[in-house]
Amino acid sequence: MIYPALLFCLEKDKQGEPNGLIVFALPSNQRPNENTHLYHAPLMNIYSNGVVCQGNATLPKKNTSITE
């Protein structure tokens, strides 16, 4: 199966802590802007509002990268 380009967003709570992951499909493989239409990602466990069902998994409290 060929998947469309995906847009991943990290949702944060009022204290700035990671709260959830949101994913949408994009109409093309180009950087989105404020006028880009977003579509439901063709993945499992994605709600209609783009929120990824995490089950009982917890997100790390600190954002890290491979270069750190």
Side-chain angles (χ1 to χ4, degrees):
M1 178 174 197
I2 298 173
Y3 291 99
L6 299 172
L7 173 67
F8 291 89
C9 303
L10 181 63
E11 184 178 57
K12 295 184 178 183
D13 62 18
K14 292 179 182 179
Q15 290 77 32
E17 299 294 328
N19 194 29
L21 183 64
I22 301 170
V23 62
F24 291 102
L26 297 170
S28 65
N29 193 16
Q30 297 179 4
R31 183 180 284 279
N33 61 43
E34 63 274 1
N35 297 317
T36 302
H37 290 278
L38 301 177
Y39 298 94
H40 183 80
L43 303 169
M44 298 185 311
N45 298 333
I46 307 292
Y47 293 106
S48 61
N49 62 356
V51 173
V52 176
C53 177
Q54 298 175 193
N56 62 356
T58 57
L59 294 172
K61 294 294 182 188
K62 179 184 176 196
N63 292 336
T64 59
S65 69
I66 294 172
T67 60
E68 288 185 26

